[in-house]
Amino acid sequence: MTETHSARDAVWQSIQDEARLGLVSDPIFGGAAAAAIQDHPDLGSVVAHQIGTRLGRTPGERAQLAAIARRAQRASPDLVDAAGVDLRAIAARDPATTSLLPPLLNYKGYIAMQAFRVSHWLWTHAQPDLALLLQAEASTSLQVSIHPSAQIGTAVFLDHATGIVIGAFSTIGDGVTILQNVTIGRHDALPGRGPRIGRGVLLSSGATVLGDVAIGDFAKIGAGAVVTSDVPAGCTAVGTPARLTSCVETPSTART
């Protein structure tokens, strides 16, 4: 799911409007937020800057990482489209905010997801060392480690975003919500086949999904559950090992 050019412009306009309103209502903190937006010509530039700021340790590293992200965005505008979709999804699904500006500037899960998108682009464009470097820096700085070979849809929300590990060859669909301390990974016996997470899935705090398993669309995985077998669409799985507690009819299309 990607934005049209007009939708991308609308997201950027909304962000600018929020920054101006924040400046009026709170000249001190709102001024800092407004400056963080006014210094950039578009959403992609802000996202690239935030990636550099959050992952880099020195001014030189921050500038270099931001430049890498910007280069990837210019080569693949879909990265900026996805950033806009992810941002709107947080505003729609996070009960703590209805605005775009707070997650853009302050949610480490949002920046971790955008850093992953850049690392995935690098991985698929024959730059694996640089891709793995971005993964390592995101893991160190943000406590979110997503292997660049993973495939992740849009409107994905990493809520609280601490202790999240998504291993190689994992696949995650659109509209998925992942809470803190979730692990998605392979079994050693099947090193090339990771879990497949469907659309609209909720992975609650501390959930673990391991092996060549499929989590169906709109399924819910309970807190602390350990999933090592398939979970049908619309079902809830809880416990260790996970067991199904309910299954409901799933929506025909994802809404984000």
Side-chain angles (χ1 to χ4, degrees), residues 10-73:
V11 170
W12 179 236
Q13 185 62 56
S14 295
I15 291 168
Q16 291 177 303
D17 291 344
E18 288 181 22
R20 282 191 287 268
L21 288 173
L23 177 59
V24 171
S25 62
D26 187 342
I28 297 176
F29 293 104
I37 298 304
Q38 292 167 355
D39 287 346
H40 299 279
D42 52 40
L43 176 61
S45 178
V46 177
V47 169
H49 177 78
Q50 289 294 104
I51 289 172
T53 298
R54 299 300 290 268
L55 272 60
R57 297 181 182 86
T58 67
E61 286 183 0
R62 290 191 283 271
Q64 185 178 37
L65 291 170
I68 290 168
R70 198 61 170 150
R71 175 168 59 85
Q73 291 171 349

Side-chain angles (χ1 to χ4, degrees), residues 107-113 116 135-147 150 152 156-168 170 172 176-185 197 202-209:
Y107 282 27
K108 66 174 185 164
Y110 176 73
I111 296 304
M113 180 54 59
F116 157 73
Q135 178 195 1
E137 296 297 341
S139 179
T140 299
S141 302
L142 305 175
Q143 296 181 295
V144 175
S145 180
I146 308 175
H147 195 276
I152 300 180
V156 173
F157 177 24
L158 305 183
D159 194 2
H160 297 288
T162 296
I164 293 174
V165 177
I166 300 173
S170 300
I172 297 174
V176 170
T177 298
I178 302 175
L179 275 70
Q180 66 270 23
N181 298 317
V182 165
T183 298
I184 302 169
I197 312 297
L202 170 63
L203 296 169
S204 300
S205 175
T208 299
V209 182

